[in-house]
């Protein structure tokens, strides 16, 4: 599927899908969505870009190896679970803080950092799988 229309439209579709995946990630705390489905949308965006331009183009577009992204996400998720331990709470208990930025109270939670970690794990893992499958098709 290497048509001119697809190659022209793929960068716009990829950018739109990545923005939507971040929207779904951030919306998922209070409404349907979250890190897993947002990560699937993000990985699908990289897969579409890979179909249009090849695996090497996706590898150049990503700053890090996809499995490094997944490892970073796993670290973030695990660390967000350990934040509750010094407070005497069970592992993975949500902890909220309320810093004030420019006079506005901003609630921050370990739930959000856990979702970001899941997002990175899913994006890294599924992008790595998609690139491996696309490389196999190219050979």
């Amino acid at each position: 599927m290497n048509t001119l229309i697809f190659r022209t439209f793929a960068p716009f579709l990829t950018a739109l899908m990545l923005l939507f995946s971040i929207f779904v990630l951030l919306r998922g705390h209070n409404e349907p969505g979250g890190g897993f489905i947002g990560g699937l949308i993000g990985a699908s965006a990289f897969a579409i870009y890979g179909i249009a331009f090849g695996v090497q183009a996706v590898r150049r577009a990503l700053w890090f190896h996809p499995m490094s992204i997944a490892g970073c996400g796993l670290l973030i998720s695990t660390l967000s679970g350990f934040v509750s331990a010094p407070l005497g709470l069970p592992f993975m208990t949500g902890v909220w803080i309320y810093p004030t930025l420019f006079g506005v109270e901003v609630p921050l939670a370990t739930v959000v950092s856990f979702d970001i970690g899941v997002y990175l794990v899913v994006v890294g893992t599924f992008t790595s799988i998609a690139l491996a499958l696309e490389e196999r098709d190219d050979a």
Side-chain angles (χ1 to χ4, degrees), residues 35-137:
F36 188 79
I37 190 65
L40 288 177
I41 295 168
S44 299
F46 289 121
I48 287 173
Y49 194 78
I51 291 169
F53 296 104
V55 173
Q56 292 307 318
V58 177
R59 293 197 188 279
R60 282 191 305 269
L62 292 172
W63 292 342
F64 302 102
H65 190 278
M67 290 311 292
S68 297
I69 295 171
C72 180
L74 185 61
L75 179 67
I76 291 170
S77 293
T78 304
L79 290 177
S80 67
F82 282 116
V83 168
S84 58
L87 302 173
L89 299 170
F91 180 68
M92 295 297 286
T93 301
V95 177
W96 282 262
I97 60 170
Y98 300 94
T100 303
L101 298 174
F102 305 110
V104 177
E105 186 176 78
V106 180
L108 296 176
T110 57
V111 177
V112 176
S113 64
F114 177 78
D115 270 348
I116 290 170
V118 170
Y119 175 86
L120 292 174
V121 167
V122 173
V123 166
T125 303
F126 283 96
T127 299
S128 183
I129 291 169
L131 293 179
L133 290 173
E134 289 175 21
E135 279 179 343
R136 187 169 182 212
D137 285 345

